Amino acid sequence: MCSTPHVGTIRARHLQQQTEQAWCLTLVTNAVVTWTTEYYGLAVESMRRTGRRIDEEVLAHISPAHSENINFFGAIDVDIEGDLAQLGPTGYRPLRVRDTLF
């Protein structure tokens, strides 16, 4: 089982526990990057469908490795039934649409 993060420190005493914690953190990081990449793709596709021009050169400078939207500490309450009810026909959450620089 993955241990609770402590501001990026590995606090386990034994090498095996340290390795397990490092793998858990790696797994979480990879999941966040994958999720963010998927939704970036959906957002770009949606914006292009509405006629917005997004240069590939601009996209080359966007990274899915940010973490401002991630709660690394504390509990997260999830209403599974409510969240599932909000999924669109494609199985994704609806994108937040607002004016952007693009």
Side-chain angles (χ1 to χ4, degrees):
M1 178 174 192
C2 295
S3 56
T4 305
H6 295 282
V7 194
T9 9
I10 295 183
R11 296 179 177 242
R13 292 183 182 189
H14 302 287
L15 180 60
Q16 179 64 30
Q17 293 170 326
Q18 293 172 0
T19 303
E20 288 173 2
Q21 183 177 354
W23 278 114
C24 288
L25 294 173
T26 300
L27 177 64
V28 169
T29 300
N30 289 342
V32 168
V33 168
T34 300
W35 179 266
T36 303
T37 300
E38 182 72 12
Y39 272 89
Y40 276 178
L42 292 171
V44 168
E45 180 183 311
S46 173
M47 291 168 67
R48 286 181 171 162
R49 271 197 316 268
T50 63
R52 292 190 180 192
R53 184 171 169 253
I54 303 172
D55 295 329
E56 294 296 324
E57 183 178 312
V58 171
L59 294 177
H61 296 281
I62 296 175
S63 170
H66 68 83
S67 60
E68 293 85 18
N69 60 326
I70 308 300
N71 176 7
F72 288 105
F73 308 102
I76 299 172
D77 293 323
V78 179
D79 174 12
I80 294 174
E81 293 299 321
D83 287 344
L84 287 175
Q86 293 180 14
L87 296 181
T90 60
Y92 290 100
R93 295 180 315 161
L95 297 171
R96 292 184 211 141
V97 180
R98 64 179 182 196
D99 290 331
T100 66
L101 297 175
F102 305 106

